[in-house]
Amino acid sequence: MKTDLLYAWRTLRRTPLFTTVAILCLALGIGANTAIFSLLDQVMFRPLPVRAPEGLVLLDAPGPNVGAFYGPRAISYPMYRAIRDGNQAFSGVLARYPVPLNLQQDGQAESVPGEIVSGNYFEVLGVRAALGRTLLPSDDVQRNAHPVVVLSFDLWMRRFGGDPHIVGRTLRVNGAGMTVVGVAEPGFAGVETARRAGLFVPMMMKTAITPTWDGMDDSRAMWLNAMARLKPGVSREQAFASLQPLFKAILEREAAEMPMRVPQRFLEQFRARRLEVLDGGRGVGPVRDQAGRPLVILMAMAGLVLLIACANVANLLMARAAARQKEIAIRLSLGARRTQIVRQLLVESVLLAVCGGGAGLAAASWTADLLARLLPEQLAEGGVGTAPDGRVLLFGLLLSLATGLVFGLLPALQSTRPDLAPALKDQVSGARSAWGALRTRRALVAAQVALSLLLLFGSGLFLRSLENLRAIHPGFQSANLLTFNVDAALAGYSPERARQIYDQMTAAIRSLPGVIQVS
């Protein structure tokens, strides 16, 4: 194999123009696929950095309901408690709610994504503490009696410089004093895709964290995400079957407590709901549904680009093989086995693909930056990175090897079947072999043209759709319009004081040069 590799390297060096064109073609296809995979992997495929993520499930109760919804796949806190205390399929059931938190420390305030979590949150996930301890069930017993908080490792390093004495310090979170009890292990930042939580607060402190609304005892307020860990030996299907009687009893109780008259048909649909047990190993992903399908479509289009590149390089290899027929014929006549020559040619193809993959990885880093700008804003703010990591590098390597085999196998088989006598006399090969090679190359060209037309038409329709969307008037003048969010309640201000602050801010912004109106 080492000899084949050295010979392939010398052979490619002797034809710099062919080698450069082939590497550039492959770099385009492999780079595009690698760049899109780096985003697709983080949004769709990457498991949570927790213990045994394959044992986690996400609970969902879709269907008609009466009440307020505060996010997808949400249930009420009373429903969570009933499932947590009455199930037989889970070793633990956790609850969490994402909330923006105002962190005040040393005279500086910062908005930090956070999670209000049940006391068994870290226990169920199997996440340990890098410093101090995590939250415990004893931190989630009595309302407003557990002012403690756990920091994420990233926030601890960024905001506090990895201070080893952070445990025991008091921070102001949404205006409430919270004592730091620990720092979560590196890599863990919550269970939501593309949202990196920095603070974790006990569920029983919710009224202090969200002073404008409670919802803890309201069975019609759907705001919690519930995740659970399956008991050993219990499958998702078994868990689903065992939960339905419990869920049926919960629905009957809620139907009897509805404060208003509702149509009988609605009640029938309400009672017919089922508690779904979904895969939870990749976390809660409200952004996944929004960005996943566009990324899959982009991946399919990039795959077509790679197929076109493979067909192009295969055509180049077959044309190059025609010029090497005498060399191959001499090797065959001297006793070389056909399998040895095929292996040698495949080594050349794989070496080309690896070089193209290396160039593609270099191009993928800035291509992924361009793609990230097209994704929903939540992904950009949620720490979806564009730098290739180990998984992306492995994908690029495997894709390069597979590409080398795909575009190299047919030319290798075709070029190792020459007519020996004409080839050794520098004559044109026999009509049969020449016609076979020509037919193969024509088929490859036809495939390239067909795939190119498919991509061109698809891209044209896509651009036309974007242009139509841009032409839709939103119903208001959107030029030179800036928006931002401020919530004084998160800093602990009363409603009366918050209104005063908003009035002062409105007056101050209105007085800025160039500002026409403020709302």
Side-chain angles (χ1 to χ4, degrees):
M1 181 60 69
K2 182 179 180 180
T3 304
D4 290 340
L5 189 61
L6 292 175
Y7 183 78
W9 175 250
R10 291 196 300 267
T11 302
L12 294 177
R13 285 183 59 186
R14 288 199 298 266
T15 54
L17 180 60
F18 161 80
T19 303
T20 301
V21 172
I23 288 177
L24 289 178
C25 287
L26 294 172
L28 174 64
I30 296 175
N33 280 269
T34 304
I36 298 174
F37 175 80
S38 67
L39 300 177
L40 189 66
D41 177 51
Q42 296 177 74
V43 175
M44 300 290 292
F45 303 138
R46 186 163 301 186
L48 289 174
V50 300
R51 173 177 57 85
E54 65 279 2
L56 294 175
V57 295
L58 175 65
L59 304 182
D60 187 22
N65 202 353
V66 175
F69 287 84
Y70 297 89
R73 297 194 172 96
I75 64 175
S76 66
Y77 186 71
M79 182 180 291
Y80 158 71
R81 287 190 304 180
I83 296 173
R84 178 196 64 189
D85 300 336
N87 83 89
Q88 301 295 325
F90 306 129
S91 59
V93 184
L94 66 87
R96 51 83 65 176
Y97 175 67
V99 61
L101 299 176
N102 185 283
L103 174 61
Q104 295 171 303
Q105 187 260 340
D106 296 335
Q108 296 182 343
E110 177 185 358
S111 179
V112 178
E115 290 189 0
I116 302 174
V117 300
S118 56
N120 62 348
Y121 178 84
F122 292 96
E123 177 187 345
V124 173
L125 293 176
V127 175
R128 297 173 296 181
L131 188 69
R133 65 172 179 86
T134 59
L135 297 179
L136 303 173
S138 57
D139 296 318
D140 191 30
V141 178
Q142 187 176 351
R143 297 282 188 93
N144 296 326
H146 311 282
V148 294
V149 64
V150 170
L151 309 180
S152 72
F153 190 87
D154 290 345
L155 180 67
W156 177 51
M157 296 298 294
R158 177 180 60 82
R159 181 67 186 268
F160 303 98
D163 181 9
H165 305 293
I166 188 67
V167 176
R169 290 179 57 180
T170 299
L171 310 176
R172 295 199 66 81
V173 181
N174 286 12
M178 296 279 183
T179 301
V180 178
V181 296
V183 177
E185 63 181 273
F188 180 76
V191 297
E192 185 171 332
T193 303
R195 183 182 183 274
R196 300 188 63 81
L199 295 169
F200 302 91
V201 181
M203 187 70 65
M204 287 294 116
M205 295 299 297
K206 182 182 182 300
T207 53
I209 297 300
T210 59
T212 56
W213 69 285
D214 186 357
M216 294 287 287
D217 299 320
D218 189 354
S219 60
R220 294 180 300 279
M222 307 296 161
W223 55 282
L224 280 176
N225 296 128
M227 297 181 67
R229 183 171 292 279
L230 294 169
K231 289 182 178 179
V234 177
S235 65
R236 283 171 49 193
E237 292 74 16
Q238 291 172 330
F240 172 80
S242 68
L243 286 172
Q244 300 318 306
L246 172 63
F247 189 60
K248 181 73 172 178
I250 296 173
L251 293 179
E252 291 293 341
R253 183 169 61 251
E254 291 186 1
E257 295 174 354
M258 285 186 179
M260 61 187 74
R261 293 179 60 86
V262 295
Q264 184 63 31
R265 180 177 177 80
F266 176 87
L267 280 177
E268 293 176 356
Q269 295 175 343
F270 177 82
R271 292 191 174 101
R273 294 163 61 198
R274 299 190 300 177
L275 184 64
E276 301 291 342
V277 181
L278 310 175
D279 176 26
R282 292 175 290 126
V284 181
V287 182
R288 187 182 300 133
D289 298 334
Q290 187 178 2
R293 182 172 294 179
L295 284 175
V296 171
I297 294 175
L298 282 175
M299 193 72 185
M301 295 178 69
L304 291 178
V305 172
L306 182 58
L307 284 178
I308 294 173
C310 288
N312 190 29
V313 175
N315 245 331
L316 292 174
L317 286 174
M318 294 190 70
R320 184 166 177 262
R324 299 177 64 184
Q325 281 197 347
K326 184 175 181 179
E327 170 200 340
I328 295 174
I330 291 175
R331 295 171 67 180
L332 288 172
S333 64
L334 292 176
R337 294 194 303 272
R338 186 187 178 206
T339 55
Q340 291 177 316
I341 301 178
V342 169
R343 185 186 66 187
Q344 170 62 51
L345 296 177
L346 283 178
V347 169
E348 292 182 18
S349 302
V350 170
L351 182 59
L352 270 179
V354 170
C355 293
L361 284 174
S365 58
W366 63 264
T367 305
D369 289 332
L370 295 177
L371 289 173
R373 299 176 187 175
L374 304 177
L375 294 176
E377 185 177 357
Q378 298 94 318
L379 289 178
E381 296 176 350
V384 173
T386 56
D389 57 7
R391 290 167 62 93
V392 175
L393 293 176
L394 179 60
F395 173 81
L397 176 61
L398 295 177
L399 184 62
S400 299
L401 295 176
T403 301
L405 295 175
V406 167
F407 73 74
L409 184 59
L410 182 60
L413 294 175
Q414 190 80 34
S415 61
T416 53
R417 285 186 288 191
D419 291 337
L420 293 182
L424 290 172
K425 297 177 182 179
D426 284 336
Q427 297 177 357
V428 179
S429 297
R432 181 177 178 183
S433 60
W435 170 247
L438 181 61
R439 185 173 54 186
T440 302
R441 295 177 63 183
R442 284 179 175 177
L444 289 173
V445 171
Q448 286 181 265
V449 173
L451 291 174
S452 299
L453 288 176
L454 178 62
L455 279 177
L456 285 174
F457 284 126
S459 301
L461 291 172
F462 179 67
L463 291 175
R464 181 65 180 271
S465 299
L466 287 180
E467 185 62 30
N468 291 339
L469 288 173
R470 290 184 59 186
I472 297 176
H473 196 278
F476 57 88
Q477 192 65 34
S478 59
N480 302 325
L481 185 66
L482 300 178
T483 64
F484 61 92
N485 297 322
V486 175
D487 191 348
L490 297 183
Y493 290 98
S494 65
E496 295 76 13
R497 178 57 180 153
R499 283 193 292 269
Q500 296 176 4
I501 292 175
Y502 297 150
D503 292 339
Q504 294 171 3
M505 290 178 60
T506 301
I509 296 173
R510 187 179 288 117
S511 65
L512 295 175
V515 175
I516 299 175
Q517 188 53 270
V518 182
S519 175

